[in-house]
Amino acid sequence: MTSQLAYKETFDCVQCGYCLPACPTYLTMGKERHSPRGRINLVKLAAEGKISLDEISDSLDLCLGCRACETACPTNVQYGKILESFKVAKSESNQSPFIEKLALQNALPNKFWQKAAVRTLGIYQKTKLNKLARKSGLLRVLPERLRAFEEITPVVQPPKRKVRQNTILPKKAKLNVAFFTGCVMDVFFAKINDLSIRLLEHAGCHVTIIKEQTCCGALQHHSGDKSFTKKLAKENITAFEQAEYDYVVNSIGGCGAMLVEYDKLLENEPQWVERAEKFAKKNIDISVILSSLGISFEKEINKVVTYQPSCHLLNVQKVKDDPVKLITSIPGLTYLPLPQADMCCGSAGIYNIVHYEESMDILDEKMKHVHTVRPAVIVTSNPGCHLQMCLGVKREGLEKKIRVVHIVELLAEACGIEAV
Amino acid sequence: MVTEQIVNQLKKIMESESRILTEKADLVSYSFDASFGTYFPELVLQPLSAGEVAGIVKLANEYKIPIYPRGAGTSLSGGPLPVHGGIVLDFSQWNQLLIVDPEDTVAIVSPGVITANIDKEAKKHGLMYPPDPSSSHVSTIGGNLAENAGGPRGLKYGVTKDYVLGLEIVTAEGEIIRTGGRTIKNVTGYDLTKLIVGAEGTLGIITEATLQLIPRPQASKTLMVIFADIVDAGRAISSVLTSGIMPSKMEIMDQASIAAVEAYEPVGLPVDVDAIILIELDGHPLAIEDESEKVKQVCLDLGARKVVIAKNDHAAAELWRARKLVSPAIVRTKPTKISEDATIPRSKIPEMFKRLQEIKKKYQVDLVVFGHAGDGNLHPNIITNIQDKEEMKRVEKAVEEIFATAIELGGTLSGEHGIGTMKAPFMEMELGEIGVEMMKRMKTAWDPNNILNPGKIFPVKGQRLVLVND
């Protein structure tokens, strides 16, 4: 049990406590065991056999995994590694819910299931069954958490085949890039992927979609299923090795963070580590590439806009300034920074479903700050954050006043680009 | 011993049971601070009112249960460690009261308020709360008061105790009293306020403080001065101060810390020099413009190799970045950092540097020095690995010798971290047997049952510095 825990890494923590103000769960729960410093200490004690995995589970399970503590840490503790080691240890001691595992192993990476999900949801939404269900009060019998998400689930549209077939070829491509579509993103937000591709082309990139790509593995990894994550990583590495690309671009903060850490994931597999490193280095968030290439705008957006960064884009990929640079370059727009924007919104993969109450406490903190800014638009950079912010806006009754968009949607609008 | 019966009584005192922590995962989470040693408390309470604290202490006094007040647990001297078990009082959640009265230029705060937030609130009224320990964005004012925390600005503005006008405290008998008031001048009776500040929670428990605020300087300016020779650097520090200028900060980085920063994240510092001094001036923009030129000249006259004056706030932040990078840079090779704060008279800075290099060689330890040069509050840091028992023994000896050297040079054991458990064994060395005895009499008078933070400040017979406990 103890051998899987990242024991050595826990000694990098000097217990200075600088991570405390950066931790959303310490802020809302107010107990040291719900702080990064407390969690690192608990993993250390568990590795020493002084406390059981069971006794520390509540503390570690309630961690969002936002890794804001890593950004705050003055001694570069690898908190992510320590947290994942607990997840693996726990998963291997067979405590992770079977259904969760089944879904993460099968549904997400499987194109068939994805398509089925799109169709079911699509039909469900198209036939207005959702409205009927909402009206009839049927949903009220569902747990609150499911009801909450049902109402903010975006209208599902399958990807536009036209966009995906490279219809526009820039005459002289500045960069030759491959596009990473993601699985949740390509189900719920296929339109954002389509717009991303158009934007990249608009900025002068030649974009290729590789059919063989699969799920990035982030959700499986966060649930401690390391071997399955590795399998997905290897599939992706192999898929993107088919041809040479300058970059592999994505517009999903969470997936990007997983992709750039494939080298860490596969560090103990000599035959893979080099390939993983090469692949990891190529992955880049769309905001970085668009900001360095520059894009031309056609339309003013005369609105007050704020930005809620994706934690994994900020704390793992270390992308901080590029999205803001892009947003502020849009003509007509008034940008107001969101106070404590670097605090997680409480989405955190499937955290908001598994730990609904705790997640809503964190979201309430976030919305307090949104109130001080009073934006017309909240920009996000990851589908999970996007849905969570929609939920926050809805819970505050602000749907008519605040629109939540992915940064790609806002940029496309200003560039006069449509997905079709 | 905290029995079930006592817990039941506490449930009546605490307004909410959710602030009574008994689970193992909670207890072990309050067993440490940023120093050394792990001690498990029997119970953790998170009080939110003086009434609750009074009730708890009364009960603890009756049953002779040790009480350990704790802020954010950033102490570098072991202040909040529950060395004899008992109850940890976690004050970090009692942060609701923060009132700034601009007319009286005071702030009224509850003990769990984060120190930097006081200054942030004061800023809204053109005021400043000067004490700025480097952990001020994490640490609580309660902890700062208990340890009498300092910080870089101590040179010009003094330390925590210089900004406390009045306190509300709970005595060992569980009575609530007020000391001082809210005026600058106050000579009514003994100055209990100053006695309690820095007493590390051994005489009473602070439940509210009235703090003095001052007008905020309009602007600041930063200079970086590079010295090839540490002796020149030491002379320059004194000469700047005798040239009629009082910088707000004078921070030093020695050769080892410069080299570590350059190896970690090159920012273009010269690695072949003895020391870099960062100087910050604050005040009227025109005044500091003039002063910065004067400081530059004084330093150049005394042999500084180079002086860089930051053109704007952004450039200043860049200069300070080098100083900020020291911490992550020095822990790259080994994870454990022992930060000492033995302080010496300003004139002894070059001598102290020389002696530190000898200690470094003698015990073969990785020692770097960076800290507050202007007030002699150097921070010799030893970088080691706590799992390496043999090396830790050498480190313990090196630390002992650093303390002895500081005292020999007319300095003190602790400039701003406090005595706690770490420096207790050396108290007699600085104060003498009778000196310590007089302090003990104060302790006995205030806390006859020895329930308030026992095991701190005063050594038990034969106690030595121990950095590793199993």
Side-chain angles (χ1 to χ4, degrees):
Chain A
M1 158 197 116
T2 54
S3 60
Q4 289 120 340
L5 294 172
Y7 181 56
K8 202 176 127 265
E9 284 74 8
T10 63
F11 282 88
D12 293 338
C13 174
V14 295
Q15 303 187 318
C16 65
Y18 281 27
C19 52
L20 299 187
C23 178
T25 58
Y26 179 70
L27 198 76
T28 54
M29 300 177 196
K31 309 250 186 310
E32 181 78 34
R33 75 158 139 163
H34 297 305
S35 76
R37 178 175 66 175
R39 289 176 176 127
I40 293 165
N41 182 57
L42 287 172
V43 170
K44 183 196 258 178
L45 293 180
E48 289 171 351
K50 290 176 181 159
I51 194 165
S52 70
L53 276 185
D54 250 2
E55 285 168 310
I56 71 169
S57 280
D58 168 68
S59 162
L60 274 296
D61 284 344
L62 285 173
C63 171
L64 295 152
C66 71
R67 292 167 70 177
C69 47
E70 287 187 19
T71 302
C73 180
T75 58
N76 293 328
V77 175
Q78 299 176 64
Y79 178 80
K81 197 168 175 182
I82 296 169
L83 175 67
E84 299 306 344
S85 80
F86 163 80
K87 298 266 171 86
V88 171
K90 201 185 154 193
S91 150
E92 285 176 16
S93 72
N94 231 353
Q95 292 174 0
S96 110
F98 176 69
I99 294 291
E100 187 184 315
K101 211 168 182 173
L102 194 74
L104 292 174
Q105 281 201 1
N106 295 303
L108 287 184
N110 187 312
K111 288 275 177 202
F112 173 77
W113 281 108
Q114 277 176 36
K115 277 182 192 157
V118 175
R119 283 202 197 111
T120 320
L121 262 170
I123 291 164
Y124 177 61
Q125 288 177 334
K126 249 183 215 156
T127 55
K128 313 272 189 219
L129 262 173
N130 52 340
K131 274 197 182 152
L132 189 74
R134 260 175 235 172
K135 261 190 189 164
S136 67
L138 188 71
L139 287 163
R140 246 166 255 150
V141 297
L142 287 172
E144 191 195 348
R145 60 186 78 175
L146 286 182
R147 238 187 301 141
F149 290 104
E150 200 278 340
E151 288 174 356
I152 50 130
T153 311
V155 177
V156 171
Q157 287 170 339
K160 299 278 177 209
R161 199 169 293 166
K162 248 171 122 187
V163 178
R164 301 300 171 93
Q165 282 168 346
N166 270 314
T167 44
I168 303 172
L169 271 173
K171 274 180 200 132
K172 217 178 151 196
K174 288 185 198 159
L175 287 173
N176 180 22
V177 305
F179 190 77
F180 184 83
T181 54
C183 51
V184 175
M185 185 79 160
D186 226 29
V187 173
F188 289 106
F189 296 100
K191 189 185 147 212
I192 293 172
N193 274 345
D194 291 342
L195 289 173
S196 299
I197 296 162
R198 286 282 193 243
L199 269 172
L200 286 167
E201 289 166 347
H202 179 68
C205 297
H206 178 261
V207 187
T208 308
I209 315 268
I210 291 164
K211 270 197 203 129
E212 290 79 7
Q213 64 178 296
T214 182
C215 174
C216 71
L219 292 175
Q220 296 83 352
H221 194 224
H222 301 326
S223 74
D225 196 346
K226 199 166 181 177
S227 57
F228 194 74
T229 313
K230 282 183 176 176
K231 181 178 164 285
L232 294 173
K234 289 171 188 171
E235 279 176 43
N236 274 325
I237 292 168
T238 312
F240 284 92
E241 276 171 347
Q242 289 173 25
E244 273 295 321
Y245 300 104
D246 296 317
Y247 293 104
V248 178
V249 186
N250 72 78
S251 40
I252 321 155
C255 297
M258 184 71 234
L259 298 170
V260 301
E261 291 200 326
Y262 272 3
D263 52 341
K264 283 188 187 168
L265 178 74
L266 296 167
E267 65 186 356
N268 296 325
E269 299 203 20
Q271 69 277 34
W272 280 94
V273 69
E274 214 169 289
R275 291 165 73 184
E277 261 170 33
K278 199 176 161 210
F279 175 76
K281 276 198 193 117
K282 287 220 160 138
N283 279 277
I284 195 166
D285 187 74
I286 189 163
S287 64
V288 180
I289 221 159
L290 291 180
S291 139
S292 74
L293 289 176
I295 39 176
S296 53
F297 298 107
E298 284 183 4
K299 223 179 103 188
E300 286 193 0
I301 295 183
N302 293 301
K303 280 181 182 144
V304 175
V305 175
T306 196
Y307 170 55
Q308 168 58 43
S310 138
C311 294
H312 284 180
L313 184 61
L314 186 67
N315 300 316
V316 183
Q317 299 191 68
K318 310 282 178 203
V319 174
K320 187 182 175 199
D321 299 328
D322 294 299
V324 177
K325 211 172 122 193
L326 284 168
I327 293 166
T328 50
S329 66
I330 295 174
L333 181 146
T334 307
Y335 171 73
L336 289 179
L338 186 64
Q340 297 192 25
D342 49 1
M343 280 270 172
C344 179
C345 64
S347 161
I350 52 170
Y351 187 97
N352 50 3
I353 299 169
V354 187
H355 305 290
Y356 181 74
E357 282 85 14
E358 289 84 356
S359 164
M360 290 306 112
D361 286 345
I362 291 161
L363 180 59
D364 288 346
E365 286 294 318
K366 179 61 64 191
M367 293 314 288
K368 272 186 214 161
H369 296 302
V370 170
H371 276 293
T372 66
V373 176
R374 304 181 154 274
V377 180
I378 299 173
V379 178
T380 63
S381 45
N382 182 62
C385 321
H386 191 114
L387 289 176
Q388 179 85 342
M389 291 314 294
C390 287
L391 184 57
V393 166
K394 189 173 166 52
R395 279 163 63 90
E396 304 283 321
L398 294 168
E399 303 112 297
K400 294 223 169 77
K401 290 186 182 147
I402 301 179
R403 192 160 67 102
V404 181
V405 299
H406 187 284
I407 186 166
V408 157
E409 294 177 281
L410 187 74
L411 294 171
E413 191 185 330
C415 291
I417 290 172
E418 279 169 32
V420 198
Chain B
M1 256 272 287
V2 180
T3 60
E4 208 184 314
Q5 181 211 348
I6 291 170
V7 175
N8 284 335
Q9 277 180 269
L10 285 167
K11 282 179 185 167
K12 283 177 206 146
I13 294 166
M14 300 291 286
E15 271 178 39
S16 163
E17 283 187 26
S18 70
R19 293 185 275 109
I20 302 175
L21 315 185
T22 53
E23 278 179 41
K24 192 173 173 189
D26 278 318
L27 300 182
V28 301
S29 296
Y30 295 87
S31 65
F32 58 83
D33 62 5
S35 73
F36 291 82
T38 307
Y39 306 89
F40 297 145
E42 295 161 77
L43 188 68
V44 178
L45 302 172
Q46 299 182 302
L48 292 182
S49 72
E52 284 183 346
V53 175
I56 296 162
V57 177
K58 213 168 258 174
L59 194 70
N61 195 38
E62 191 186 331
Y63 293 96
K64 299 195 173 54
I65 299 164
I67 295 269
Y68 292 95
R70 184 185 200 266
T74 58
S75 175
L76 293 167
S77 59
L81 294 178
V83 292
H84 298 316
I87 300 170
V88 164
L89 290 191
D90 171 25
F91 281 100
S92 64
Q93 300 308 303
W94 188 2
N95 54 13
Q96 292 76 12
L97 181 70
L98 170 51
I99 299 168
V100 169
D101 179 340
E103 273 186 55
D104 287 349
T105 63
V106 296
I108 318 285
V109 294
S110 55
V113 170
I114 288 176
T115 311
N117 289 348
I118 303 172
D119 188 48
K120 220 182 268 169
E121 196 58 32
K123 195 179 174 186
K124 292 180 187 165
H125 303 276
L127 298 170
M128 170 163 86
Y129 175 70
D132 61 339
S134 49
S135 59
S136 65
H137 64 295
V138 188
S139 65
T140 65
I141 186 65
N144 283 187
L145 290 162
E147 300 293 331
N148 191 6
R153 283 204 288 240
L155 170 65
K156 181 173 182 175
Y157 294 103
V159 295
T160 304
K161 73 162 188 273
D162 300 312
Y163 294 88
V164 192
L165 298 176
L167 295 172
E168 178 190 76
I169 58 169
V170 171
T171 67
E173 281 89 11
E175 302 295 338
I176 301 171
I177 64 162
R178 283 194 166 268
T179 73
R182 60 191 279 153
T183 56
I184 292 172
K185 293 182 175 173
N186 182 333
V187 292
T188 308
Y190 291 156
D191 193 347
L192 296 183
T193 308
K194 292 262 158 56
L195 175 65
I196 297 298
V197 175
E200 308 192 8
T202 60
L203 300 180
I205 296 174
I206 299 165
T207 50
E208 191 187 290
T210 305
L211 306 169
Q212 168 73 39
L213 305 173
I214 61 167
R216 198 172 195 87
Q218 293 172 34
S220 64
K221 210 163 181 64
T222 298
L223 295 91
M224 179 187 267
V225 191
I226 295 164
F227 286 98
D229 186 344
I230 189 71
V231 178
D232 292 341
R235 283 190 4 236
I237 291 165
S238 296
S239 297
V240 167
L241 295 166
T242 50
S243 68
I245 294 165
M246 177 55 103
S248 50
K249 296 177 188 171
M250 283 181 124
E251 298 282 298
I252 196 163
M253 288 166 65
D254 76 342
Q255 198 276 333
S257 31
I258 300 167
V261 168
E262 280 301 307
Y264 173 62
E265 205 178 305
V267 286
L269 303 176
V271 291
D272 60 338
V273 293
D274 263 9
I276 287 177
I277 299 186
L278 283 161
I279 301 175
E280 188 187 89
L281 302 161
D282 67 359
H284 190 280
L286 293 176
I288 56 173
E289 191 65 47
D290 181 57
E291 285 179 353
S292 62
E293 287 303 324
K294 252 189 206 156
V295 170
K296 181 178 177 180
Q297 204 48 55
V298 168
C299 292
L300 288 173
D301 287 349
L302 282 163
R305 184 192 279 188
K306 198 178 165 195
V307 180
V308 184
I309 302 178
K311 289 205 171 65
N312 49 40
D313 287 353
H314 179 74
E318 271 303 301
L319 293 183
W320 284 105
R321 205 167 79 87
R323 168 70 177 77
K324 281 216 169 100
L325 284 172
V326 175
S327 278
I330 57 177
V331 294
R332 277 200 317 158
T333 43
K334 296 175 193 171
T336 313
K337 188 174 101 168
I338 297 157
S339 175
E340 277 315 329
D341 71 324
T343 303
I344 37 131
R346 208 176 283 135
S347 61
K348 297 287 194 278
I349 289 174
E351 173 70 12
M352 186 69 181
F353 261 91
K354 206 181 105 217
R355 300 280 286 269
L356 286 171
Q357 294 315 313
E358 286 164 15
I359 292 168
K360 180 178 178 172
K361 227 182 245 163
K362 184 173 168 189
Y363 297 103
Q364 292 293 306
V365 290
D366 286 326
L367 187 147
V368 298
V369 187
F370 59 101
H372 321 315
D375 52 20
N377 185 198
L378 300 176
H379 285 299
N381 273 254
I382 298 179
I383 309 307
T384 179
N385 183 351
I386 199 159
Q387 289 168 297
D388 184 340
K389 294 265 159 77
E390 185 274 326
E391 184 170 315
M392 287 305 282
K393 285 284 157 217
R394 279 184 283 129
V395 170
E396 283 170 7
K397 286 195 181 125
V399 171
E400 281 178 5
E401 198 161 324
I402 290 172
F403 290 144
T405 309
I407 292 170
E408 190 195 318
L409 296 178
T412 181
L413 290 171
S414 177
E416 56 184 8
H417 294 171
I419 299 300
T421 52
M422 291 276 286
K423 283 163 232 168
F426 310 97
M427 284 290 278
E428 262 189 41
M429 189 158 77
E430 181 170 336
L431 301 168
E433 204 184 324
I434 309 294
V436 175
E437 178 55 31
M438 291 309 283
M439 285 192 183
K440 273 191 190 158
R441 284 193 205 174
M442 301 274 251
K443 168 71 173 164
T444 318
W446 280 74
D447 177 21
N449 289 329
N450 195 26
I451 59 152
L452 298 179
N453 208 4
K456 309 297 163 65
I457 302 181
F458 305 106
V460 290
K461 222 171 165 52
Q463 186 179 336
R464 292 200 54 198
L465 173 77
V466 182
L467 295 172
V468 190
N469 71 343
D470 301 296

Coordinates of all heavy atoms in Angstrom, one line a residue, chain B residues 26-61:
Chain B
D26 N -7.6 15.1 11.6 CA -7.5 16.5 12.1 C -6.4 16.7 13.1 O -5.6 17.6 13.0 CB -8.8 16.9 12.7 CG -9.9 17.3 11.6 OD1 -9.5 18.0 10.7 OD2 -11.0 16.9 11.8
L27 N -6.3 15.8 14.0 CA -5.3 15.9 15.1 C -3.9 16.0 14.5 O -3.1 16.8 14.9 CB -5.4 14.8 16.1 CG -6.8 14.7 16.8 CD1 -6.8 13.6 17.9 CD2 -7.2 16.1 17.5
V28 N -3.6 15.1 13.6 CA -2.2 15.1 13.0 C -2.0 16.3 12.1 O -0.9 16.6 11.9 CB -2.0 13.8 12.2 CG1 -2.1 12.5 13.1 CG2 -2.8 13.7 11.0
S29 N -3.1 16.9 11.7 CA -2.9 18.1 10.9 C -2.5 19.4 11.6 O -2.2 20.4 11.1 CB -4.2 18.4 10.0 OG -4.4 17.3 9.1
Y30 N -2.6 19.3 13.0 CA -2.2 20.4 13.8 C -1.0 20.0 14.7 O -0.8 20.6 15.7 CB -3.4 20.9 14.6 CG -4.5 21.5 13.8 CD1 -5.5 20.7 13.3 CD2 -4.5 22.9 13.5 CE1 -6.5 21.2 12.5 CE2 -5.5 23.4 12.7 CZ -6.5 22.6 12.2 OH -7.5 23.1 11.4
S31 N -0.2 19.1 14.2 CA 0.9 18.5 15.0 C 2.2 19.2 14.6 O 3.2 18.8 15.1 CB 1.0 17.0 14.8 OG 1.3 16.8 13.4
F32 N 2.2 20.1 13.6 CA 3.4 20.7 13.1 C 3.3 22.1 12.9 O 2.2 22.7 12.9 CB 3.8 19.9 11.8 CG 2.8 20.1 10.8 CD1 2.7 21.2 10.0 CD2 1.8 19.1 10.6 CE1 1.7 21.3 9.0 CE2 0.8 19.2 9.6 CZ 0.8 20.3 8.8
D33 N 4.4 22.8 12.6 CA 4.4 24.2 12.1 C 5.5 24.2 11.1 O 5.9 23.1 10.6 CB 4.6 25.2 13.2 CG 5.9 25.1 14.0 OD1 6.7 24.3 13.6 OD2 6.0 25.8 15.0
A34 N 6.1 25.4 10.8 CA 7.1 25.4 9.7 C 8.5 25.2 10.3 O 9.5 25.3 9.6 CB 7.1 26.8 9.0
S35 N 8.6 24.8 11.6 CA 9.9 24.5 12.2 C 10.0 22.9 12.3 O 9.7 22.2 11.3 CB 10.0 25.1 13.6 OG 9.2 24.4 14.5
F36 N 10.6 22.4 13.4 CA 10.9 21.0 13.4 C 10.1 20.3 14.6 O 9.8 21.0 15.6 CB 12.4 20.8 13.6 CG 13.1 21.2 12.3 CD1 13.4 22.5 12.1 CD2 13.4 20.2 11.4 CE1 14.0 22.9 10.9 CE2 14.0 20.6 10.2 CZ 14.3 21.9 9.9
G37 N 9.9 19.1 14.4 CA 9.2 18.3 15.5 C 7.7 18.1 15.2 O 7.1 19.0 14.6
T38 N 7.2 17.0 15.6 CA 5.8 16.7 15.4 C 5.2 16.2 16.7 O 5.8 15.3 17.3 CB 5.7 15.5 14.3 OG1 6.4 15.9 13.2 CG2 4.2 15.3 14.0
Y39 N 4.2 16.8 17.1 CA 3.6 16.5 18.4 C 2.1 16.4 18.2 O 1.5 17.4 17.8 CB 3.9 17.5 19.5 CG 5.4 17.7 19.6 CD1 6.1 18.7 18.9 CD2 6.2 17.0 20.5 CE1 7.5 18.9 19.0 CE2 7.5 17.2 20.7 CZ 8.2 18.1 19.9 OH 9.5 18.3 20.0
F40 N 1.4 15.3 18.5 CA 0.0 15.2 18.3 C -0.8 15.8 19.5 O -0.6 15.4 20.6 CB -0.4 13.7 18.1 CG 0.2 13.1 16.9 CD1 0.6 11.8 16.9 CD2 0.4 13.9 15.8 CE1 1.2 11.2 15.8 CE2 1.0 13.3 14.6 CZ 1.4 12.0 14.7
P41 N -1.7 16.7 19.2 CA -2.6 17.2 20.2 C -3.7 16.2 20.5 O -3.9 15.3 19.7 CB -3.2 18.5 19.6 CG -3.2 18.2 18.2 CD -2.0 17.3 17.9
E42 N -4.4 16.3 21.6 CA -5.5 15.4 21.9 C -6.8 15.9 21.4 O -7.7 15.1 21.2 CB -5.6 15.2 23.4 CG -4.4 14.5 24.1 CD -4.4 14.7 25.6 OE1 -5.1 14.1 26.3 OE2 -3.6 15.6 26.0
L43 N -6.8 17.2 21.1 CA -8.0 17.8 20.7 C -7.7 19.2 20.0 O -6.7 19.8 20.4 CB -8.9 18.1 21.9 CG -10.3 18.6 21.7 CD1 -11.2 17.5 21.1 CD2 -10.9 19.0 23.1
V44 N -8.5 19.5 19.0 CA -8.3 20.8 18.3 C -9.6 21.6 18.4 O -10.6 21.0 18.1 CB -7.8 20.7 16.9 CG1 -7.7 22.1 16.2 CG2 -6.5 19.9 16.8
L45 N -9.5 22.8 18.9 CA -10.7 23.7 18.9 C -10.5 24.9 18.1 O -9.4 25.4 18.0 CB -11.0 24.1 20.4 CG -11.2 23.0 21.4 CD1 -11.3 23.5 22.8 CD2 -12.5 22.2 21.1
Q46 N -11.6 25.4 17.4 CA -11.5 26.6 16.6 C -12.4 27.7 17.1 O -13.5 27.9 16.6 CB -11.8 26.2 15.1 CG -10.9 25.2 14.5 CD -11.3 24.9 13.1 OE1 -12.4 24.5 12.8 NE2 -10.4 25.1 12.2
P47 N -11.9 28.4 18.2 CA -12.8 29.3 18.8 C -13.1 30.6 17.9 O -12.2 30.9 17.1 CB -12.0 29.7 20.1 CG -10.6 29.5 19.8 CD -10.6 28.3 18.8
L48 N -14.2 31.2 18.2 CA -14.6 32.4 17.4 C -15.0 33.6 18.3 O -15.5 34.5 17.8 CB -15.7 32.1 16.4 CG -15.4 31.1 15.2 CD1 -16.6 31.0 14.3 CD2 -14.2 31.6 14.4
S49 N -14.8 33.4 19.6 CA -15.1 34.5 20.5 C -14.3 34.5 21.8 O -13.8 33.4 22.1 CB -16.6 34.5 20.8 OG -16.9 33.5 21.7
A50 N -14.1 35.6 22.4 CA -13.4 35.7 23.7 C -14.1 34.8 24.7 O -13.5 34.2 25.6 CB -13.2 37.1 24.1
G51 N -15.4 34.8 24.6 CA -16.2 34.0 25.5 C -15.9 32.5 25.4 O -15.7 31.9 26.5
E52 N -15.8 32.0 24.2 CA -15.4 30.6 24.0 C -14.0 30.4 24.6 O -13.8 29.4 25.3 CB -15.5 30.3 22.5 CG -16.9 30.1 22.0 CD -16.9 29.6 20.5 OE1 -15.9 29.7 19.8 OE2 -18.0 29.2 20.1
V53 N -13.1 31.3 24.3 CA -11.7 31.1 24.7 C -11.7 31.1 26.3 O -11.0 30.2 26.9 CB -10.7 32.2 24.2 CG1 -9.3 32.0 24.8 CG2 -10.7 32.1 22.6
A54 N -12.4 32.0 26.9 CA -12.4 32.1 28.3 C -12.9 30.8 28.9 O -12.4 30.2 29.9 CB -13.2 33.3 28.8
G55 N -14.0 30.3 28.3 CA -14.6 29.0 28.8 C -13.6 27.8 28.7 O -13.5 27.0 29.6
I56 N -13.0 27.8 27.6 CA -12.0 26.7 27.3 C -10.9 26.7 28.3 O -10.5 25.7 29.0 CB -11.4 26.8 25.9 CG1 -12.5 26.6 24.8 CG2 -10.3 25.7 25.7 CD1 -12.2 27.1 23.4
V57 N -10.3 28.0 28.5 CA -9.1 28.1 29.4 C -9.5 27.8 30.8 O -8.8 27.2 31.6 CB -8.5 29.5 29.2 CG1 -7.3 29.7 30.2 CG2 -8.0 29.7 27.8
K58 N -10.7 28.3 31.2 CA -11.1 28.0 32.6 C -11.2 26.5 32.9 O -10.7 26.0 33.9 CB -12.5 28.6 32.8 CG -12.8 29.1 34.2 CD -14.1 30.0 34.2 CE -13.8 31.4 34.3 NZ -15.0 32.3 34.2
L59 N -11.7 25.8 31.9 CA -11.9 24.3 32.0 C -10.5 23.7 32.0 O -10.2 22.8 32.9 CB -12.7 23.8 30.9 CG -13.2 22.4 31.0 CD1 -14.3 22.3 32.0 CD2 -13.8 21.9 29.6
A60 N -9.6 24.1 31.1 CA -8.3 23.6 31.0 C -7.5 23.8 32.3 O -6.7 23.0 32.7 CB -7.5 24.2 29.8
N61 N -7.7 25.0 32.9 CA -7.0 25.3 34.1 C -7.4 24.4 35.2 O -6.6 24.0 36.1 CB -7.2 26.8 34.5 CG -6.2 27.3 35.5 OD1 -5.1 27.0 35.5 ND2 -6.7 28.2 36.4

